[in-house]
Amino acid sequence: MYSTMRHLGFVSLFVLMVWVCQSCLVGCEKPAVVNIGAIFTFNSVIGRAAKPAMEAAVADINANPTILNGTRLNLFMEDANCSVFLGSTEAFQVIEKEVVAIIGPQSSSIAHIISAIANGLQVPQVSYAATDPTLSALQFPFFLRTVQSDSNQMIAMADLIDFYGWKEVIAIYVDDDYGRNGISVLNNELDRRMAKAFYKLPLPAHFAQSDIISLLNNSKLLGPRVFVVHVNPDPQLRIFAFAEKLQMMTSDYVWLATDWLSATIDSFSPMNRTALHSLQGVVGLRQHIPESNQKKDFMSRWRKMQQKGLATSQLNSYGLCAYDTVWTVAHSIDKFINDGNNLTFSSSDKLNDIKTGEMHLEKLKVFDGGDILLKELLQTNFSGLTGQVHFSSDRNIVTSGYDVINIDNMAVHTVGYWSGTFGFSVSPPETLQGTQHGNSEIDQELHSVTWPGGKIERPRGWVIADDERPLRIGVPYRASFVDFVTELHDSHQIVGYCIDVFTEALKLVPYYVPYKFELFGNGRSNPNYGQLVKMVADNVFDAAVGDIAIVKNRTEIVDFSQPYITTGLVIVAPIRNPKSSAWVFLKPFTVDMWCMTAAAFVIIGIVIWILEHRVNDDFRGPPRRQIVTMFMFSFSTLFKTNQEETVSTLGRVVMVVWLFLLMVITSSYTANLTSILTVQQLLSPITGIDSLIANTWPIGYQVGSFAYGYLSENLNIHQSRLVELHSPEEYESALRLGPDNGGVAAIVDELPYVELFLSKHTDFGIIGQPFTKRGWGFAFQRDSVLAVDMSTAILRLSENGMLQEIHKKWLCKMGCPGERRKNYEPNQLHLTSFWGLYLLCGCITLAALLIFLLRMVRQFVRYRRRQMKLCSLSPAVQSTTRCSQVIYNFFNFIDEKEEAIKKMFMQCEINRVSETPMSSTT
């Protein structure tokens, strides 16, 4: 029994070992066939290149023993026929064949649907043509792509637009996921680059000829002439063909295209290149594929495939991406199998529970190794036809940039390259690695581009208007002051000062601007200028030309040109010639000036008397005579009648300075007195805007002017005081009647109107200076380029004198009015204007006086010392040292003549000599 049990144990152990070995063999056995699926539109620009490329890739993989050794790669291809519905249906058919990966589709719209299916069944999806940026969202974790995302392409396109300095763009795009989402990225990128305008013009997914013509005609109504075309590849190039027929391929236009155009062109056979004539000057992007021997060999192979009928199209970048996509999937499957993973599928309980009738959804199975294969795909890194193939964290292939192409004379020229690292350059990005080339503005460079129309100069990229839609310019239809702007009733022509300034300035704008004037107002009363400006902001008018004041609330809604005339609110009042005044001769100087001048005469007389008294006999004599001489001398210098002459050096220095001061004062007095005797004085007691506000007199204003709002809102003048006036005739009547007879005390209006009024009415004048600083300008819609160019033109008119000529033509028909400004207080000369001169004269006079006094003190001290010595030698000579006596003696000493002082010194010397022998004898 023991032997029987032992025998059964060996048998059981043997059976277990056999089962384990069989299980291991089953688990490690490579599958004979691996199925992958491809969904795309066979008969399309991309499909005609992708289908042969993928077939060639499968053949190369199955013939290569280093990859999938022992396992054959089987590719099932289904035609989506450019239909989202058919594409999703074909996806189910492919998945039923237990494929481990789905290649494609080329359509972003179909990719959205298939990505949802792939997520549910955990089948990785790798697309070589779906470029919609939103497919990289976390919503589609099983979606990868071996082509550059449109998010990258739109950055390149925005950089291209910014490189040439265009700020206004029109985007033409197909209205599906591919078109909308790509243009949305472009819009965001242009906003970052401070673009001013971005217009989106969508086309239906399957657009017809009528859709293109309607869209292009509508685009003419917009200002920009820079077009970005983002549609599906179109072998007929219909958009450009119709643009050429509509005269939209001229030098005024710029046409930019995304890589759909390069894919289309690259698919053309050499015999079909004549279709490029409609693309003259177009600039586009092409996915950059570095040159390599591998690529050259495949291109040579492709030509042989064409000869054998295996390929019906030229090879484009999408064909190369399709070839690399198959290799990407094959490398991942090879690593998946080599890591010991099984290609197994399992049923989905959720699908089994669904009663689908004839749909048989229960046949759909979940790929058990989908997550693992997805990781293997993301770790792919090999050298393909398109360069190094590896993926970034967002499941997009690491980009190599774009070529910038230009079509000229039916040939495609590469004018540069773009990469996210280096920006624009004339060298391929792969050659710039490790160089000093940066992404700054100064490093950006492209070769010369030939634009539509054959020009190499950069197009402006926008037009203000064209002949089909000229600029709509609102013009105020004035009832008064028609010299500024009016309509000639016989010819209905718009003329006036403002119109001449506008037309002359427009001649200096460096481009053609068709326009038409449209009158605003009824011509019976002046229109409201605030409403006119608002109509420009509301796009009723493109611009407004006229006597439009530039005020704060208007600048908030429109852009103004440089002011072509400086203006401001002024006060107009009646004037008359002044009556003669007996005291008019006192008006040139202010009171302090008169006082200072009189004091100077007195001081100079005293100083000259002090300096000349000891040496000049004309300044000596009885006290009465000396006083008269003292005061008459300085005053007589005014009339040059003084008979006394200065003898001392210090006196002459003071006289020179005094005569210079007197000459300046006399000349200024004469000139100012002449001005006062000829100037006109105002009859009105109004002295300025402050006195006008302080009183209750009625104030006139021009209807339609901003003066009403300024007076009532800014200066808080009650509306009952404001009188509406419509014409210069009403101005004259109201001013002549005055405030007591139903008229006005003054009129507040803008300076140009007042000058025109005063040129015909000399009985009135302007009081004071303008109390607001304003200007007239032309109003344009916000961010209008014409506003800037017109400002430059107005400055040139000012520099060349044309503005002044127009001003004389319209506003000086009866002679330009001089300023008739009220100035009740004459333009008196103040002491502050001459204090420097008085200070100079005073300093020199004081210095001369101090020098004289120091000399006198020195002589007096010498004289006193000698007296003291004489007293010590002769007791008969007495001397006193009392202070009062010393001062008295000092003034007596000064009062003596210079000759007497010298004799006194000599007498003292004689006395000292005579007294010395007597002392020695004693």
Side-chain angles (χ1 to χ4, degrees):
M1 185 170 180
Y2 172 76
S3 60
T4 303
M5 293 294 293
R6 185 178 180 184
H7 178 70
L8 290 174
F10 280 115
V11 171
S12 300
L13 181 60
F14 177 75
V15 172
L16 179 62
M17 292 177 63
V18 171
W19 180 81
V20 170
C21 291
Q22 289 179 345
S23 298
C24 291
L25 289 173
V26 171
C28 297
E29 183 181 2
K30 286 188 176 183
V33 177
V34 176
N35 295 332
I36 60 174
I39 303 169
F40 59 98
T41 300
F42 293 175
N43 188 24
S44 64
V45 170
I46 295 176
R48 285 189 291 271
K51 188 174 185 294
M54 287 190 290
E55 291 173 343
V58 171
D60 292 345
I61 291 168
N62 289 330
N64 192 334
T66 63
I67 185 170
L68 292 176
N69 188 19
T71 300
R72 186 173 63 86
L73 186 66
N74 193 16
L75 176 63
F76 294 100
M77 291 186 286
E78 298 292 342
D79 191 357
N81 287 305
C82 296
S83 170
V84 176
F85 173 73
L86 292 178
S88 59
T89 303
E90 299 297 339
F92 286 112
Q93 294 182 7
V94 168
I95 292 175
E96 285 181 358
K97 299 174 183 177
E98 294 187 348
V99 296
V100 297
I102 300 174
I103 296 177
Q106 68 193 58
S107 168
S108 296
S109 299
I110 301 176
H112 277 274
I113 302 297
I114 297 180
S115 294
I117 299 172
N119 291 347
L121 300 178
Q122 297 187 8
V123 179
Q125 177 189 0
V126 186
S127 177
Y128 55 86
T131 57
D132 177 9
T134 61
L135 287 169
S136 299
L138 298 177
Q139 178 185 357
F140 309 111
F142 281 85
F143 178 85
L144 297 85
R145 57 178 145 214
T146 55
V147 67
Q148 299 187 58
S149 169
D150 276 344
S151 61
N152 201 47
Q153 179 172 209
M154 293 308 172
I155 294 175
M157 182 61 71
D159 281 348
L160 183 63
I161 294 170
D162 188 58
F163 177 81
Y164 287 107
W166 296 309
K167 296 298 182 181
E168 299 181 359
V169 179
I170 296 175
I172 298 175
Y173 63 98
V174 60
D175 195 9
D176 60 7
D177 292 327
Y178 157 75
R180 284 192 304 271
N181 296 329
I183 291 302
S184 177
V185 175
L186 178 60
N187 190 7
N188 294 336
E189 291 297 326
L190 289 176
D191 285 343
R192 290 176 53 195
R193 291 160 178 79
M194 307 300 290
K196 294 181 180 179
F198 187 74
Y199 300 93
K200 301 177 183 179
L201 301 182
L203 283 168
H206 302 284
F207 53 85
Q209 171 182 334
S210 59
D211 297 320
I212 300 174
I213 294 175
S214 175
L215 180 143
L216 293 177
N217 283 327
N218 290 336
S219 71
K220 289 184 176 182
L221 303 179
L222 305 174
R225 289 296 181 263
V226 179
F227 290 84
V228 176
V229 184
H230 184 57
V231 296
N232 293 311
D234 179 15
Q236 301 177 20
L237 303 173
R238 290 173 291 172
I239 292 178
F240 296 106
F242 288 116
E244 186 178 27
K245 292 180 180 179
L246 295 174
Q247 302 298 315
M248 297 178 66
M249 298 298 292
T250 61
S251 58
D252 290 333
Y253 289 82
V254 176
W255 290 92
L256 308 175
T258 52
D259 66 344
W260 71 270
L261 180 62
S262 61
T264 303
I265 295 173
D266 292 342
S267 301
F268 288 166
S269 65
M271 301 298 295
N272 196 27
R273 292 281 170 165
T274 55
L276 299 182
H277 71 86
S278 62
L279 298 178
Q280 174 63 36
V282 176
V283 175
L285 298 177
R286 174 197 282 148
Q287 296 184 59
H288 177 65
I289 298 176
E291 294 296 330
S292 64
N293 293 330
Q294 189 178 357
K295 176 185 173 183
K296 293 178 181 178
D297 293 341
F298 189 78
M299 296 290 289
S300 177
R301 178 183 174 187
W302 187 269
R303 287 189 288 270
K304 294 178 181 179
M305 291 170 60
Q306 288 179 303
Q307 294 173 0
K308 296 178 181 179
L310 300 177
T312 60
S313 167
Q314 296 294 319
L315 184 62
N316 57 35
S317 58
Y318 288 102
L320 296 174
C321 290
Y323 181 90
D324 283 351
T325 302
V326 177
W327 273 92
T328 300
V329 174
H331 279 293
S332 301
I333 295 174
D334 182 58
K335 195 170 187 307
F336 178 89
I337 295 174
N338 291 336
D339 289 344
N341 298 300
N342 294 324
L343 300 175
T344 60
F345 297 84
S346 59
S347 300
S348 173
D349 295 335
K350 295 181 179 180
L351 290 176
N352 292 333
D353 294 340
I354 298 175
K355 297 180 180 180
T356 58
E358 301 295 330
M359 295 184 65
H360 304 293
L361 292 180
E362 68 278 0
K363 295 182 180 181
L364 300 178
K365 295 182 180 180
V366 178
F367 178 31
D368 296 330
D371 289 331
I372 300 175
L373 183 58
L374 177 64
K375 293 179 181 178
E376 300 293 352
L377 283 166
L378 291 174
Q379 294 175 3
T380 301
N381 193 344
F382 71 96
S383 180
L385 298 181
T386 59
Q388 199 66 25
V389 178
H390 58 288
F391 294 93
S392 60
S393 58
D394 58 356
R395 306 184 309 282
N396 291 319
I397 193 170
V398 176
T399 61
S400 55
Y402 289 89
D403 300 344
V404 181
I405 62 172
N406 177 219
I407 295 89
D408 180 31
N409 293 326
M410 293 188 294
V412 180
H413 305 277
T414 300
V415 296
Y417 305 88
W418 177 91
S419 67
T421 304
F422 302 107
F424 292 108
S425 65
V426 294
S427 301
E430 61 271 13
T431 64
L432 298 177
Q433 299 292 340
T435 65
Q436 298 295 324
H437 193 285
N439 200 5
S440 62
E441 291 185 7
I442 59 175
D443 293 324
Q444 305 302 290
E445 183 182 7
L446 289 175
H447 288 302
S448 177
V449 171
T450 301
W451 302 100
K455 294 185 177 181
I456 61 174
E457 296 84 7
R458 181 189 71 89
R460 191 172 60 251
W462 51 265
V463 295
I464 296 298
D466 53 30
D467 293 328
E468 296 180 6
R469 183 188 175 276
L471 206 66
R472 301 161 300 170
I473 299 179
V475 177
Y477 195 5
R478 296 191 58 87
S480 62
F481 294 104
V482 294
D483 297 83
F484 292 105
V485 57
T486 190
E487 180 188 37
L488 298 180
H489 295 288
D490 53 350
S491 62
H492 300 287
Q493 182 182 2
I494 309 298
V495 297
Y497 167 74
C498 303
I499 301 300
D500 278 6
V501 174
F502 175 78
T503 54
E504 289 297 326
L506 202 59
K507 293 177 183 178
L508 301 178
V509 173
Y511 45 85
Y512 174 59
V513 182
Y515 63 90
K516 63 177 180 179
F517 291 127
E518 297 181 11
L519 291 173
F520 172 70
N522 54 24
R524 294 185 295 272
S525 63
N526 293 335
N528 187 304
Y529 282 63
Q531 292 181 2
L532 174 59
V533 172
K534 190 175 186 304
M535 292 176 73
V536 175
D538 294 340
N539 200 30
V540 178
F541 296 124
D542 297 309
V545 171
D547 45 337
I548 305 171
I550 304 174
V551 294
K552 180 178 180 297
N553 61 334
R554 296 174 184 174
T555 59
E556 294 174 350
I557 58 176
V558 298
D559 285 347
F560 278 95
S561 68
Q562 172 83 11
Y564 57 87
I565 186 171
T566 302
T567 181
L569 293 178
V570 295
I571 302 173
V572 184
I575 62 171
R576 65 172 174 85
N577 289 325
K579 295 181 180 179
S580 300
S581 172
W583 304 100
V584 69
F585 66 90
L586 295 176
K587 292 182 178 180
F589 288 165
T590 57
V591 174
D592 55 349
M593 184 65 180
W594 278 120
C595 294
M596 186 63 191
T597 304
F601 275 99
V602 174
I603 292 172
I604 290 298
I606 294 174
V607 171
I608 291 297
W609 178 82
I610 293 174
L611 298 177
E612 295 291 323
H613 178 68
R614 300 179 68 244
V615 296
N616 193 337
D617 291 335
D618 292 335
F619 292 85
R620 300 188 65 83
R624 182 177 180 181
R625 178 189 172 189
Q626 294 186 46
I627 293 174
V628 172
T629 302
M630 182 189 308
F631 289 102
M632 289 302 297
F633 176 83
S634 59
F635 285 101
S636 63
T637 58
L638 182 64
F639 308 103
K640 300 179 181 180
T641 59
N642 53 311
Q643 297 180 355
E644 299 84 2
E645 293 182 357
T646 54
V647 176
S648 67
T649 303
L650 293 175
R652 290 178 177 178
V653 171
V654 172
M655 280 300 298
V656 169
V657 178
W658 168 247
L659 290 176
F660 175 75
L661 172 64
L662 199 61
M663 179 189 68
V664 175
I665 297 297
T666 304
S667 301
S668 302
Y669 175 88
T670 304
N672 205 31
L673 180 61
T674 304
S675 174
I676 291 174
L677 293 175
T678 57
V679 74
Q680 289 180 317
Q681 301 295 316
L682 294 177
L683 180 64
S684 172
I686 300 170
T687 59
I689 187 62
D690 293 330
S691 64
L692 196 62
I693 296 173
N695 288 288
T696 59
W697 298 311
I699 304 170
Y701 71 94
Q702 182 185 175
V703 61
S705 171
F706 79 96
Y708 176 81
Y710 184 85
L711 293 173
S712 60
E713 297 174 8
N714 294 66
L715 301 183
N716 298 317
I717 297 177
H718 199 274
Q719 297 178 1
S720 61
R721 294 179 55 194
L722 303 178
V723 179
E724 188 177 271
L725 301 175
H726 296 82
S727 65
E729 291 74 19
E730 292 188 13
Y731 278 30
E732 181 183 11
S733 176
L735 288 172
R736 292 194 185 282
L737 288 174
D740 298 328
N741 300 313
V744 295
I747 294 174
V748 175
D749 204 352
E750 294 181 77
L751 184 60
Y753 300 121
V754 172
E755 287 184 338
L756 186 60
F757 172 74
L758 295 180
S759 67
K760 303 174 183 178
H761 303 85
T762 58
D763 295 336
F764 308 100
I766 299 173
I767 298 179
Q769 301 291 330
F771 55 89
T772 63
K773 294 297 182 181
R774 292 287 188 273
W776 287 355
F778 305 131
F780 299 90
Q781 295 181 5
R782 296 303 296 267
D783 300 323
S784 172
V785 182
L786 185 57
V788 178
D789 292 334
M790 285 294 287
S791 296
T792 304
I794 290 171
L795 289 175
R796 291 178 60 187
L797 287 179
S798 177
E799 292 173 356
N800 61 26
M802 181 58 70
L803 270 183
Q804 187 63 27
E805 292 298 324
I806 299 173
H807 184 275
K808 290 180 179 179
K809 172 185 174 182
W810 287 99
L811 307 184
C812 300
K813 295 179 179 179
M814 299 179 63
C816 290
E819 290 190 346
R820 305 178 180 94
R821 311 214 171 192
K822 196 278 181 188
N823 194 356
Y824 258 124
E825 292 296 327
N827 191 18
Q828 294 178 312
L829 297 175
H830 296 266
L831 179 60
T832 54
S833 301
F834 301 92
W835 72 268
L837 195 56
Y838 275 111
L839 180 63
L840 176 64
C841 182
C843 290
I844 294 177
T845 302
L846 181 62
L849 186 61
L850 289 176
I851 293 172
F852 173 80
L853 291 176
L854 289 174
R855 286 177 56 192
M856 291 300 98
V857 170
R858 179 173 174 272
Q859 288 183 359
F860 181 71
V861 170
R862 288 174 56 198
Y863 173 74
R864 288 289 297 166
R865 285 177 180 175
R866 293 187 180 185
Q867 276 193 333
M868 296 294 292
K869 289 181 179 180
L870 184 61
C871 292
S872 61
L873 296 175
S874 175
V877 180
Q878 298 182 358
S879 177
T880 179
T881 58
R882 288 187 302 172
C883 180
S884 58
Q885 187 63 37
V886 170
I887 294 173
Y888 177 79
N889 291 338
F890 177 72
F891 282 104
N892 285 336
F893 180 80
I894 293 176
D895 188 60
E896 294 291 335
K897 289 190 66 175
E898 185 75 20
E899 296 177 358
I901 296 298
K902 292 180 179 179
K903 290 179 180 180
M904 290 172 59
F905 276 101
M906 292 178 62
Q907 186 63 41
C908 289
E909 187 66 21
I910 293 172
N911 292 337
R912 185 181 65 81
V913 173
S914 60
E915 291 292 331
T916 302
M918 294 175 60
S919 300
S920 58
T921 303
T922 304

